[in-house]
Amino acid sequence: MTQIDLLRRHGLFDAKVPRYTSYPPANHFGQSVGADVQCDWIAAIPQGRAVSVYIHIPFCRRLCWFCACRTQGTSTMRPVDAYVDQLLLELAQLRRLAPAGLMMGRLHLGGGTPTILPAKTMARLLRAVFTAFDRADDFEFSVEIDPTDAAPDLLQTLIDFGMNRASIGVQDFAPAVQKAIGRPQSLDQTQSVAQFLRDAGLRSLNVDLLYGLPHQTPDSFRRTLDHVADLCPDRLAIYGYAHVPWMSKRQVMIKDDTLPDAMARFELAGIAHDAMTSQGLRAIGIDHFANPSDRLARADANGTLRRNFQGYTDDQSETLLGLGASAISAFGQGFVQNAVATSAWHDRVGQDGLAGQKGYVLTPQDKVVSQIIADLMCRFAFDRDALLQQFPDQSNLIASARAMLSERFGDAITEDGNLLQLRPEAKPLVRIMARHVDSFIGVSGGYSAAI
């Protein structure tokens, strides 16, 4: 059986499955978990614990048509300034509730376009953040950067405050593709920002790309990958474009008949894999690449790779504190998402100081399923002994999940004692395997999983 036959047999080219950056996915969060639970969980963080902090900046000067993120357009800084004012209130309330001695291991600014903030506004925000939290020894500060909206004084401000990793959004350099997704961005603009950051002492440069975009061809994508290689990124994320116009209305601007079909998308993903690995980068998980010396590559090599709402990470913190509209916080007990609409988030912060609107309380069973899916997504493996050691009271569930995977994916895996491993040619099936664990355990355990 060829690889294509194997993948087709298991439905790869027809499947619509979650990315599993959390379990359960955020579309299963409910209204029974809100700001009151959020307060309790923040107060219960152990003293001295290192936490991660995510700040969502939802504003953009332009709305790219491919994007499905929670963003809004603005032509003035007035709503941005008001938003930052409210962020400072939310941050102050968070710090009042949190126990003393918390350390910040990670800080990530995402969006939207975080670099839309003027330098003085960014400095004001970051001063408040670093007043609220001391930095852990291995502190990492990362920011998503749009090269078309990143003033030099803003970039220098970020460097001055300790930004040591930047993620530059590229998507694709082909003019026809950029026109079709509403994101004009020249190679010169991108190179200029990358060089500025390198000259300023930035430690790690990431580049974000998409495959499966309108008018994208193997030849045009190879040219984009060549340009990206010239930037010498330390890390890349190369995601498959998700066309969901029923969820993101701006995507109606992208016509279905301009998109590559499933087989063409698979070819584009393979081109990206071959191009990046031939440059000496390590393939990580389903969509990341990194220099062998990069922290992400080291985490992959030593088995500590994890997955969160930003994708693959070496961040080991159990606690993620999300600030801003739609931001999600993760705790050992479960998840809380802030009010999604900026106006609703403003109102909640003004009333209660926090904006949690919906979430999910993890059951003991959920935690096992979450770990199984994380192991599959990060290590392409199911280690029964490791799971039993971590969850000794869930042996029946672990045995059932293992038996189901063995039966359903026998031609896609190898089994050696307690270890189930995906064959190399079957790795593209990992999200489908995760979906089967999700739906199988969900049905048997009462969780209403989306198939």
Side-chain angles (χ1 to χ4, degrees):
M1 181 186 298
T2 67
Q3 182 190 29
I4 295 298
D5 291 336
L6 174 68
L7 301 180
R8 183 178 287 117
R9 178 179 183 275
H10 290 284
L12 177 69
F13 304 114
D14 306 307
K16 305 293 183 183
V17 293
R19 295 186 187 274
Y20 287 111
T21 52
S22 71
Y23 179 84
N27 62 316
H28 290 286
F29 294 178
Q31 301 288 337
S32 62
V33 176
D36 54 344
V37 175
Q38 187 179 19
C39 289
D40 292 342
W41 287 353
I42 290 170
I45 300 171
Q47 290 189 359
R49 180 67 56 87
V51 300
S52 299
V53 177
Y54 171 76
I55 301 177
H56 186 63
I57 308 295
F59 298 97
C60 300
R61 291 187 211 276
R62 62 178 182 186
L63 294 178
C64 304
W65 302 334
F66 70 89
C67 183
C69 297
R70 302 289 185 178
T71 61
Q72 62 189 80
T74 182
S75 58
T76 74
M77 287 297 103
R78 188 177 304 161
V80 178
D81 290 338
Y83 184 84
V84 171
D85 288 342
Q86 211 72 349
L87 273 176
L88 299 184
L89 292 178
E90 186 181 22
L91 177 63
Q93 175 68 345
L94 170 62
R95 199 61 198 90
R96 281 193 292 269
L97 290 167
L102 288 188
M103 305 295 287
M104 182 166 56
R106 299 287 189 277
L107 172 63
H108 183 75
L109 272 58
T113 307
T115 49
I116 196 175
L117 268 63
K120 289 184 178 180
T121 305
M122 179 64 77
R124 180 170 171 244
L125 173 61
L126 293 177
R127 275 194 296 268
V129 172
F130 291 120
T131 299
F133 297 101
D134 290 330
R135 309 178 198 210
D137 290 341
D138 65 343
F139 176 70
E140 181 178 273
F141 174 19
S142 57
V143 181
E144 296 173 13
I145 291 175
D146 178 353
T148 69
D149 195 1
D153 62 339
L154 182 277
L155 296 177
Q156 187 61 55
T157 297
L158 292 171
I159 291 288
D160 291 344
F161 274 91
M163 179 181 70
N164 47 22
R165 184 162 68 84
S167 292
I168 293 182
V170 169
Q171 320 319 332
D172 195 292
F173 280 123
V177 176
Q178 291 186 356
K179 182 178 180 180
I181 64 175
R183 187 186 174 92
Q185 177 178 322
S186 72
L187 178 59
D188 286 345
Q189 284 176 308
T190 309
Q191 291 172 330
S192 177
V193 168
Q195 191 60 53
F196 182 97
L197 293 170
R198 291 291 198 195
D199 292 345
L202 184 78
R203 186 191 72 201
S204 179
L205 181 69
N206 302 5
V207 172
D208 295 336
L209 299 172
L210 287 174
Y211 66 86
L213 291 172
H215 303 298
Q216 207 171 43
T217 68
D219 286 343
S220 73
F221 197 43
R222 287 189 182 97
R223 287 191 290 272
T224 286
L225 293 168
D226 287 342
H227 291 316
V228 169
D230 291 339
L231 296 173
C232 299
D234 301 278
R235 190 184 301 183
L236 292 104
I238 306 181
Y239 300 114
Y241 166 63
H243 190 57
V244 287
W246 56 92
M247 291 176 56
S248 180
K249 299 303 182 185
R250 72 193 70 165
Q251 289 188 355
V252 300
M253 300 295 293
I254 296 176
K255 306 306 178 186
D256 292 358
D257 60 3
T258 65
L259 296 169
D261 63 20
M263 285 299 299
R265 284 170 61 92
F266 180 70
E267 181 183 3
L268 291 167
I271 288 170
H273 178 278
D274 293 346
M276 294 302 105
T277 54
S278 70
Q279 295 288 329
L281 301 183
R282 181 184 179 100
I284 296 170
I286 60 174
D287 48 26
H288 280 52
F289 301 86
N291 282 327
S293 60
D294 185 88
R295 292 167 60 156
L296 194 69
R298 297 202 304 269
D300 183 48
N302 64 29
T304 60
L305 185 70
R306 297 181 68 241
R307 192 159 171 81
N308 65 15
F309 296 106
Q310 279 78 57
Y312 289 104
T313 179
D314 64 315
D315 182 7
Q316 301 303 304
S317 176
E318 183 182 60
T319 304
L320 169 66
L321 301 177
L323 296 162
S326 80
I328 298 175
S329 296
F331 304 87
Q333 303 93 324
F335 305 100
V336 182
Q337 183 172 23
N338 283 352
V340 172
T342 303
S343 58
W345 170 81
H346 264 274
D347 292 343
R348 285 175 175 263
V349 172
Q351 293 170 7
D352 303 320
L354 294 179
Q357 184 178 37
K358 57 184 177 180
Y360 189 90
V361 179
L362 291 166
T363 67
Q365 183 189 58
D366 290 327
K367 294 180 181 181
V368 181
V369 177
S370 178
Q371 188 60 56
I372 293 172
I373 290 176
D375 287 344
L376 290 171
M377 295 294 295
C378 294
R379 288 170 275 286
F380 300 102
F382 183 118
D383 188 331
R384 185 176 61 189
D385 280 358
L387 288 164
L388 287 172
Q389 185 174 4
Q390 189 174 358
F391 305 102
D393 58 341
Q394 297 289 333
S395 57
N396 289 340
L397 186 154
I398 293 168
S400 296
R402 170 68 183 267
M404 182 276 294
L405 289 174
S406 297
E407 179 180 354
R408 179 68 180 79
F409 295 94
D411 57 349
I413 60 176
T414 60
E415 298 188 65
D416 182 9
N418 294 310
L419 184 67
L420 177 154
Q421 192 91 27
L422 270 76
R423 297 179 184 275
E425 67 272 19
K427 286 183 177 181
L429 296 171
V430 68
R431 285 169 59 199
I432 293 176
M433 292 183 70
R435 190 273 308 270
H436 276 275
V437 172
D438 181 354
S439 59
F440 174 78
I441 300 299
V443 170
S444 64
Y447 164 62
S448 179
I451 301 177

